[in-house]
Amino acid sequence: MSTSATKAHTTGADRMSDPNWWRQAAVYQIYPRSFYDANGDGLGDIKGVTAKVPYLKELGIDAVWLSPFYPSALADGGYDVDDYRNVDPKLGTLEDFDEMAAALHAAGIKIVVDIVPNHSSDRHEWFKEALASPKGSAARERYIFRDGRGENGELPPSDWDSVFGGPIWDRITEPDGTPGQWYMHIFAKEQPDFNWENPEIREDFLKTLRFWSDRGVDGFRIDVAHGMAKDLSEPLPMKADLEAKAHGTDGFADGSHPFWDRDEVHEVYAEWRKLFNEYNPPRTAVAEAWVHETRRARYASPEGLGQAFNFDLLQSDFDAASFKKIITDNLVAAKESGASSTWVFSNHDVVRHATRYGLPKGGSVAQGTNAAQDVTGGTKGQDGKGWLLAGAPAEELDVELGLRRARAATLLLLALPGSAYLYQGEELGLREVSEIPDAERQDPSFFRNPGVEIGRDGCRVPLPWTADGSSFGFGAGGAHLPQPEWFKDYAVSKQEGVEGSTLELYRTALSLRSELQTDEELEWVETGNQDVLHFSRPGGWHTVTNFGSDPVELPDGDVVVSSGPLDNGKLPADTTAWVVRNA
């Protein structure tokens, strides 16, 4: 084992007690239902995560982020939560969770879990109580119910659209069988929005955060962190009014939108921060907040959640000038807020970056599913959607180019100051699975918007662990989403120990990354070539990425890792190298 690998593994114990562990952590996102199936029922589970702790430790990550594992009808991939303080029986038990937490901590790996505070499932006991209770009852006050417009309340309270298509309001049938009030759901109708003006909601989420913190959870990823707070004062503005204001110079950068990014949401996070700081080390949090760039810092403030996702690189083409501006701007913003920046290329909501970078330039710009959730902020969707909707024509995707650029971009990302968020399977070089028959798709966004949304199943296909077997080693009972035949060439068993494989590239880079984690700063080095980015980190570490088409010279020093083979000592196109220059 190299000295760098030894250092990466021996720092695990220190990391567990370090209050600043999150600032430059490598966090690996696990979508539990598609990671590993331990009991052979075709669905990934909590025991499956526990079984793969040795793999995660060898990978060299600092933390795992678990997408929702709570009881759910999967109306939105688990983000419709029935019970916030339990494990979906299909995935395991609380005892299984405790065993997983102990195994991860023993390996020096922190645990971050998803919290979904904007809405519950329509199967949540509180919503079922609301439906069975009369208008004006305390049960209904936990959610957002309104009378309809029109002579008999037959029209929704406003004409707003939901994120997943269709109206944002749904009408209920009252307990006596008559048409009744309408409830608000920013997302699917199975996801009714909580009323965060109700103290009972605030207290219950504090209870949930404490419940998981006491079970050893080290941090929380806050879903739709810019939702929750709402101003639904009558009369509600119509869609056209919101559109008109959104098209202004500053859009809703003043916090005046009726339900997105309102200032009041930070009162909630101030309460959460007090709870987080009761623990030693303090619990961490990262906001998923698709907001105007001038408003992101409040979510990442020390008095709030402490960190906020930066999706700017994820939304960029593979372009030197774009990357440089995004990195520079976000490091300045992070310094001003006191947080560290976050860097990410793929997650459970977007087309994998190995596919995006293989599409024609300009078609690779990504938008997250929450980037613009209604008419006031642009179009919802993610990059590659048009290509997928068109049937994913093979001639438009350069698979080799996409992987080469994905490897180069990731190696650049891992050298940046701040935390790196990785998505399961990207360490294998997986691209988007496009060959899923309509009848086998699961993402409700596909069914709600036929011809408009292709859904997110393509990045959620169960991982290939071996090159053979009915599910490529995912589990004895097959896989809940169909895996393509080409998965066998990307399996863990085909890449382990193979020099130059994507898995070994990630392992090497993550191991070396521990030596890069000094001061959270970088210095740009002028190259005289607009297609080359070169920056240095303290200690003589240099990172060079060639976005151009011709090989370029590397600086003097030892090349400790490169995303692809060098060309007679030069850095080829679409390649990144780390060079150590001794003082």
Side-chain angles (χ1 to χ4, degrees), residues 151-282:
E151 185 176 347
N152 298 304
E154 69 277 8
L155 299 175
S158 71
D159 64 348
W160 302 338
D161 295 323
S162 74
V163 171
F164 289 146
I168 207 170
W169 300 94
D170 211 64
R171 196 176 195 186
I172 69 168
T173 299
E174 296 292 350
D176 63 3
T178 60
Q181 288 190 297
W182 300 72
Y183 70 89
M184 183 177 179
H185 56 91
I186 294 178
F187 294 91
K189 67 178 182 179
E190 297 89 351
Q191 296 168 290
D193 282 29
F194 280 123
N195 172 19
W196 274 86
E197 293 184 3
N198 188 330
E200 190 175 4
I201 301 299
R202 297 194 179 205
E203 286 301 316
D204 196 67
F205 269 91
L206 290 173
K207 184 177 180 180
T208 293
L209 295 170
R210 194 177 299 282
F211 177 88
W212 292 111
S213 295
D214 289 345
R215 294 193 97 90
V217 166
D218 303 287
F220 300 91
R221 179 261 190 188
I222 312 305
D223 183 64
V224 196
H226 56 309
M228 301 155 63
K230 299 173 175 67
D231 179 5
L232 301 180
S233 304
E234 301 286 352
L236 297 178
M238 291 291 104
K239 183 165 57 177
D241 298 327
L242 295 179
E243 285 178 330
K245 183 167 185 181
H247 292 159
T249 303
D250 296 322
F252 285 96
D254 59 357
S256 64
H257 191 280
F259 54 84
W260 288 137
D261 187 34
R262 296 193 59 81
D263 291 339
E264 303 95 297
V265 77
H266 298 289
E267 298 171 9
V268 174
Y269 297 142
E271 291 182 341
W272 289 15
R273 174 46 56 192
K274 290 179 182 178
L275 184 152
F276 295 152
N277 288 346
E278 293 175 11
Y279 291 85
N280 184 23

Side-chain angles (χ1 to χ4, degrees), residues 138-151:
R140 291 213 180 162
E141 284 302 308
R142 298 183 183 124
Y143 293 90
I144 300 173
F145 282 87
R146 290 287 186 277
D147 291 333
R149 295 175 295 127
E151 185 176 347

Side-chain angles (χ1 to χ4, degrees), residues 297-359:
R298 291 193 65 182
Y299 293 88
S301 73
E303 297 77 28
L305 295 175
Q307 198 174 46
F309 272 120
N310 152 30
F311 296 112
D312 296 345
L313 281 181
L314 185 151
Q315 297 180 89
S316 172
D317 263 321
F318 187 79
D319 178 82
S322 176
F323 270 47
K324 184 174 183 179
K325 184 178 189 308
I326 288 168
I327 293 166
T328 301
D329 291 350
N330 279 283
L331 289 178
V332 169
K335 190 171 185 179
E336 290 176 350
S337 71
S340 66
S341 191
T342 63
W343 310 105
V344 58
F345 285 122
S346 286
N347 62 36
H348 65 295
D349 277 336
V350 300
V351 173
R352 289 184 179 276
H353 64 296
T355 290
R356 298 201 311 266
Y357 292 151
L359 292 171

Side-chain angles (χ1 to χ4, degrees), residues 410-460:
T410 295
L411 194 56
L412 182 154
L413 174 147
L414 290 174
L416 293 172
S419 57
Y421 281 79
L422 312 173
Y423 179 54
Q424 65 177 43
E426 71 170 81
E427 78 277 14
L428 304 178
L430 294 184
R431 62 184 184 272
E432 193 79 359
V433 177
S434 59
E435 37 297 60
I436 303 176
D438 289 357
E440 296 190 60
R441 290 192 174 274
Q442 298 176 6
D443 189 350
S445 67
F446 169 76
F447 299 103
R448 291 190 177 98
N449 294 284
V452 177
E453 294 291 345
I454 194 63
R456 297 157 291 178
D457 294 316
C459 65
R460 300 176 179 183

